[in-house]
């Protein structure tokens, strides 16, 4: 058997596996897997980078910008309130304070604890802060402490890196330069309640205040202004690096009052420690020049919060310092009501100026005897004498003839028991002129005796001192003047200040002349009830009417004993003393009403007080001055 040799080329091909590494194929597969994984990862990263930089780039740029920038809102300065001569009666003072932005710290308890170590917090501050943290949104600043001293601010600035979310801010606080003197007129501000913030989120800003009384309350929206903002660049720990933009907002409107603060001081000085109220008006246009209610309170205490002890002291005071007696105090007008009764009778034709009525010292009606203040009576007298002597029996009879419905209608035209729509104060009470319909609506019968006692301003009749001053003004001028307190808002003069704005009252001028003559006799003629009200100013005379209003019934036996003296009663049982007046008599310019609580006798107490107030008013003559007359009025240093 023979064999053929193969060619070398075939020999090489016959050994294909010779010299090859077995792991090379495995390596290649792993490399491919790794490359594919890397490609997928890079693709995902690329897609993510594309999303971050291209598709969502503007969104993340905005977030980054927000981390670098901080926009904060701040309360605007509240509008200033001035008297008629531009003297500040409510203004603002700079207040440095520490605020907390909850959204800029992740450890609020720790931040507060460190803050308290640097600037101590009172217990009521801690309670308030915890309450605000629970109820305010995180982006709204919370006040930690106000009225910071320079030392306080220096310590806080030094420790700012450990106080994330804390910043020092400058704001304003409300100040009242005259304190209690004008508290009832100007009112006060206080921190907003939760219900206020629900309706207006801007009120949650530190420093925002809401008017709670007086002009501050009724003109709150005009005084608030518009919120401002500031945009700042901050670093990683929230420290302000630069201020980039600021919108100052808009300060509240400035409001000028009709009040003369100097005259207000003089009126209060005349009243002294008595529980009383007094109103002085320009009887030609209704501008209120002074409105005093005594005692009063310090309005600045409400800005930071009244203590419980202070609140209890005020509310337990029988002389009610928190109540503006001039508009919220209700009093029987007593004999000051008699001119209104006379006008009602003249208009109704139940009385003429020459009619005479006999006063024996009493009148019997329906089995009841009604006494005159003079137990001996006044004899036969006419209208002028009836007003001059303030004869009760005369006006008992006039009221009986005229009827209560007619008296009520005329009284309301004078502003008694009626709304005074233009007075810019809250809690203004309307008072009451009773009628038979009113009595029946309350489930009672109206009898003749009700008309009799109403005829001398007793019984159910109730009025306010402001109504009495309005009444005196309308008698003096025969014009339907409307009392008001605002002279201008943001420089815009109120229409009511125009001397020709008030229309004439729908009553014959000769009826007014009869009433004025009787009021002149009260003060200036022998036998009038108010000789103590005569002015000691050459050539100037005043007309007025006295009043004493009982607060408890005086029995017949007490009157007829001959020994009754109301001055010997406890203070709270004594009659109120009242007086209304206007001057000069021949060219009326000013009207005044005075009510002294439990002052006993209008002729002895209220009349001399009204005389002094009118004297001060005539000498200052504020309506004819553009600058404060006389001695300058002291005022605090305010911005």
């Amino acid at each position: 058997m023979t064999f053929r040799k193969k060619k070398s080329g075939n020999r090489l091909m016959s050994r294909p596996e010779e010299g090859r590494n077995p792991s090379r194929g495995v390596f290649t597969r792993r490399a491919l897997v790794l490359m594919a994984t890397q490609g997928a990862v890079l693709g995902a990263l690329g897609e993510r980078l594309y999303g971050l930089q291209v598709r969502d780039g503007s969104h993340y740029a905005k977030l980054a910008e927000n981390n670098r920038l901080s926009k904060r809102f701040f309360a605007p300065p509240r509008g200033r309130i001035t008297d008629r001569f531009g003297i500040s009666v409510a203004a603002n003072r700079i207040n440095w304070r520490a605020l907390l932005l909850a959204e800029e710290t992740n450890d609020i308890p720790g931040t507060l604890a460190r803050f308290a170590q640097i600037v101590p917090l009172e217990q009521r501050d801690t309670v308030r802060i915890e309450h605000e943290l629970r109820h305010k949104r995180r982006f709204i600043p919370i006040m930690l402490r106000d009225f910071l001293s320079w030392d306080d601010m220096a310590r806080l600035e030094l420790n700012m890196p450990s106080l994330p979310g804390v910043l020092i801010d400058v704001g304003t606080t409300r100040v009242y330069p005259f304190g209690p003197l004008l508290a009832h007129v100007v009112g006060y501000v206080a921190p907003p309640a939760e219900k206020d913030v629900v309706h207006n989120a801007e009120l949650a800003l530190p420093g925002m205040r809401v008017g709670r009384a007086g002009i501050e309350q009724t003109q709150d929206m005009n005084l608030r202004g518009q919120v401002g903002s500031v945009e700042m660049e901050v670093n990683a720990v929230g420290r302000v690096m630069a201020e980039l933009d600021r919108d100052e907002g808009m300060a509240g409107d400035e409001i000028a009052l009709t009040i003369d603060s100097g005259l207000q001081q003089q009126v209060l000085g005349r009243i002294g420690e008595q529980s009383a109220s007094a109103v002085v008006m320009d009887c030609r246009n209704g501008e209120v020049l002074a409105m005093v209610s005594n005692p009063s309170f310090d309005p600045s205490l409400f800005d930071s919060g009244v203590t419980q002890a202070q609140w209890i002291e005020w509310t337990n005071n029988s002389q009610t310092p928190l109540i503006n007696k001039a508009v919220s105090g209700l009093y029987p007008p007593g004999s000051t009501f008699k001119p209104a009764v006379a006008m009602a009778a003249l208009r109704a034709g139940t009385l003429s100026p020459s009619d005479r009525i006999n006063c024996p010292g009493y009148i019997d009606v329906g089995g009841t005897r009604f006494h005159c203040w003079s137990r001996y009576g006044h004899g036969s007298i006419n209208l002028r004498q009836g007003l001059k002597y303030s004869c009760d029996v005369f006006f008992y009879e006039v009221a009986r003839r005229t009827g209560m419905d007619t008296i009520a209608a005329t009284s309301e035209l004078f502003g008694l028991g009626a709304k005074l729509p233009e007075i810019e104060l809250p809690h203004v009470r309307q008072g009451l002129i009773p009628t038979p319909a009113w009595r029946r609506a309350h489930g009672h019968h109206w009898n003749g005796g009700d008309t009799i006692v109403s005829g001398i301003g007793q019984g159910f009749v109730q009025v306010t001192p402001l109504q009495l001053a309005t009444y005196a003004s309308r008698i003096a001028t025969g014009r339907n003047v409307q009392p008001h307190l605002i002279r201008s808002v943001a420089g815009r003069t109120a229409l009511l200040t125009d001397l020709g704005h008030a229309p004439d009252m729908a009553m014959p001028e000769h009826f007014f002349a009869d009433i004025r003559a009787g009021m002149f006799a009260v003060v200036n003629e022998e036998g009038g009830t108010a000789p103590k009200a005569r002015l000691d100013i050459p050539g100037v005379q005043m007309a007025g009417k006295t009043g004493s209003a009982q607060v408890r019934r005086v029995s017949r036996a007490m009157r007829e004993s001959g020994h009754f003296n109301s001055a010997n009663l406890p203070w709270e049982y004594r009659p109120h003393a009242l007086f209304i007046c206007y001057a000069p008599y021949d060219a009326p310019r000013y009207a005044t009403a005075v009510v002294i609580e439990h002052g006993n006798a209008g002729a002895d107490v209220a009349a001399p007080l009204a005389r002094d107030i009118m004297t001060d008013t005539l000498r200052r003559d504020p309506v004819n001055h553009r600058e404060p007359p006389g001695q300058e009025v002291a005022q605090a240093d305010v911005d």
Side-chain angles (χ1 to χ4, degrees):
M1 182 179 292
T2 59
F3 298 89
R4 289 187 296 180
K5 294 183 179 178
K6 297 181 180 180
K7 295 181 180 180
S8 60
N10 292 335
R11 185 172 61 248
L12 292 172
M13 290 181 66
S14 65
R15 299 176 183 175
E17 304 296 332
E18 184 179 352
R20 185 174 181 180
N21 187 349
S23 65
R24 180 178 298 173
V26 176
F27 174 78
T28 302
R29 289 192 298 274
R30 290 177 177 174
L32 290 172
V33 172
L34 180 61
M35 290 175 63
T37 302
Q38 290 176 338
V41 171
L42 290 174
L45 290 174
E47 194 280 334
R48 181 61 175 160
L49 288 173
Y50 176 82
L52 291 173
Q53 296 184 0
V54 180
R55 186 176 62 247
D56 299 325
S58 60
H59 171 69
Y60 288 105
K62 185 176 181 180
L63 291 178
E65 186 72 3
N66 287 342
N67 287 334
R68 183 180 71 89
L69 301 178
S70 176
K71 188 171 186 179
R72 297 162 186 168
F73 296 92
F74 56 86
R78 194 168 174 86
R80 195 170 67 117
I81 303 175
T82 73
D83 78 347
R84 67 187 297 112
F85 298 116
I87 297 172
S88 292
V89 296
N92 305 306
R93 180 173 290 157
I94 290 177
N95 172 22
W96 292 95
R97 59 201 179 190
L99 306 179
L100 173 66
L101 283 172
E103 64 178 358
E104 293 188 5
T105 177
N106 295 321
D107 182 15
I108 292 177
T111 298
L112 291 176
R114 288 188 291 274
F115 180 90
Q117 292 175 349
I118 301 168
V119 178
L121 293 172
E122 296 182 2
Q123 178 63 29
R124 69 174 184 173
D125 289 328
T126 302
V127 172
R128 175 185 54 79
I129 292 168
E130 292 175 351
H131 176 81
E132 292 185 4
L133 284 171
R134 289 193 301 269
H135 292 86
K136 284 188 176 181
R137 298 178 183 179
R138 289 178 61 84
F139 64 85
I140 296 178
I142 292 173
M143 188 177 70
L144 301 180
R145 268 284 304 274
D146 56 356
F147 302 108
L148 294 174
S149 67
W150 291 111
D151 289 341
D152 292 334
M153 290 189 286
R155 291 196 302 272
L156 288 173
E157 285 289 356
L158 185 63
N159 289 275
M160 274 300 176
S162 65
L163 296 170
V166 175
L167 68 147
I168 296 175
D169 179 60
V170 61
T172 59
T173 188
R174 202 64 162 167
V175 292
Y176 300 99
F178 295 98
L181 177 68
L182 285 161
H184 292 109
V185 173
V186 176
Y188 58 85
V189 295
E194 290 183 19
K195 63 180 181 180
D196 298 319
V197 177
V198 168
H199 294 97
N200 186 351
E202 290 181 350
L203 294 178
L205 293 172
M208 285 296 284
R209 293 292 184 265
V210 177
R212 293 299 189 203
I215 296 296
E216 292 275 29
Q217 178 176 341
T218 61
Q219 301 299 307
D220 189 44
M221 296 306 297
N222 288 329
L223 291 166
R224 280 186 196 174
Q226 297 179 10
V227 169
S229 63
V230 58
E231 191 171 25
M232 297 171 288
E233 183 178 10
V234 297
N235 61 15
V237 297
R239 173 171 284 186
V240 176
M241 305 304 294
E243 182 179 305
L244 304 179
D245 188 34
R246 174 178 284 268
D247 176 6
E248 294 292 348
M250 185 177 295
D253 292 335
E254 180 171 304
I255 293 178
L257 303 181
T258 60
I259 293 288
D260 173 7
S261 55
L263 179 60
Q264 183 90 357
Q265 283 184 326
Q266 289 180 313
V267 173
L268 181 60
R270 295 293 189 181
I271 289 175
E273 299 300 317
Q274 299 177 99
S275 180
S277 59
V279 177
V280 180
M281 284 175 54
D282 182 339
C283 61
R284 302 167 301 172
N285 63 1
E287 286 189 338
V288 178
L289 304 171
M291 179 184 285
V292 174
S293 179
N294 194 58
S296 186
F297 61 93
D298 184 354
S300 64
L301 297 179
F302 285 90
D303 191 29
S304 56
V306 176
T307 65
Q308 184 178 8
Q310 179 63 78
W311 183 256
I312 291 174
E313 178 185 338
W314 282 337
T315 55
N316 287 345
N317 189 329
S318 61
Q319 296 184 352
T320 60
L322 294 177
I323 294 177
N324 183 356
K325 298 178 176 69
V327 298
S328 298
L330 292 178
Y331 309 91
S335 294
T336 63
F337 190 57
K338 291 173 181 176
V341 176
M343 180 62 82
L346 291 171
R347 296 180 70 212
T350 58
L351 177 73
S352 72
S354 60
D355 285 348
R356 304 190 75 85
I357 296 174
N358 183 55
C359 170
Y362 61 88
I363 186 173
D364 293 321
V365 178
T368 302
R369 175 162 291 185
F370 297 89
H371 291 266
C372 186
W373 66 266
S374 172
R375 59 183 304 200
Y376 303 107
H378 295 98
S380 179
I381 55 176
N382 59 21
L383 173 59
R384 180 188 179 96
Q385 293 168 319
L387 289 170
K388 174 181 174 179
Y389 302 134
S390 195
C391 176
D392 292 337
V393 169
F394 184 93
F395 285 96
Y396 290 152
E397 176 60 20
V398 171
R400 187 191 65 78
R401 294 179 185 180
T402 307
M404 202 59 217
D405 286 323
T406 301
I407 293 172
T410 299
S411 300
E412 290 178 7
L413 292 176
F414 281 120
L416 301 175
K419 291 182 178 179
L420 299 174
E422 302 299 335
I423 192 68
E424 306 90 340
L425 290 176
H427 316 302
V428 176
R429 300 181 73 179
Q430 183 174 340
L432 174 67
I433 305 297
T435 62
W438 169 84
R439 186 74 167 142
R440 288 192 298 270
H442 288 78
H444 300 281
H445 174 68
W446 182 273
N447 57 54
D450 293 326
T451 300
I452 296 298
V453 297
S454 297
I456 62 167
Q458 292 286 170
F460 302 109
V461 183
Q462 290 188 319
V463 299
T464 67
L466 179 63
Q467 289 178 343
L468 289 172
T470 304
Y471 166 47
S473 295
R474 293 178 182 179
I475 290 175
T477 63
R479 302 176 72 88
N480 190 30
V481 296
Q482 295 292 335
H484 58 281
L485 279 163
I486 292 181
R487 205 152 196 256
S488 67
V489 177
R492 300 183 298 273
T493 303
L495 181 62
L496 290 174
T497 62
D498 186 353
L499 292 180
H501 180 73
D504 290 335
M505 297 183 69
M507 301 179 191
E509 176 58 29
H510 63 276
F511 288 170
F512 279 108
D514 293 330
I515 301 299
R516 294 169 191 150
M519 294 176 65
F520 176 87
V522 168
V523 177
N524 301 287
E525 293 184 1
E526 189 68 28
T529 56
K532 294 181 180 179
R534 291 175 192 167
L535 296 176
D536 190 20
I537 301 177
V540 181
Q541 294 172 309
M542 181 169 74
K545 185 68 192 77
T546 54
S548 296
Q550 296 174 4
V551 297
R552 61 174 298 185
R553 184 176 180 273
V554 179
S555 69
R556 179 174 179 176
M558 295 172 67
R559 285 187 179 276
E560 294 182 350
S561 68
H563 303 293
F564 175 74
N565 185 349
S566 58
N568 296 328
L569 295 172
W571 178 80
E572 63 272 19
Y573 295 146
R574 297 173 190 169
H576 300 309
L578 304 91
F579 194 77
I580 61 170
C581 59
Y582 65 88
Y585 174 72
D586 53 355
R589 190 158 66 248
Y590 301 108
T592 298
V594 171
V595 178
I596 303 175
E597 292 186 331
H598 309 291
N600 194 47
D604 293 333
V605 181
L609 175 59
R611 175 203 62 206
D612 293 342
I613 291 173
M614 185 62 76
T615 299
D616 292 337
T617 304
L618 290 167
R619 286 176 174 166
R620 282 185 68 84
D621 198 17
V623 301
N624 288 323
H625 286 80
R626 293 184 178 274
E627 300 293 332
Q631 187 175 0
E632 291 186 3
V633 178
Q635 57 178 323
D637 181 19
V638 295
D639 297 322

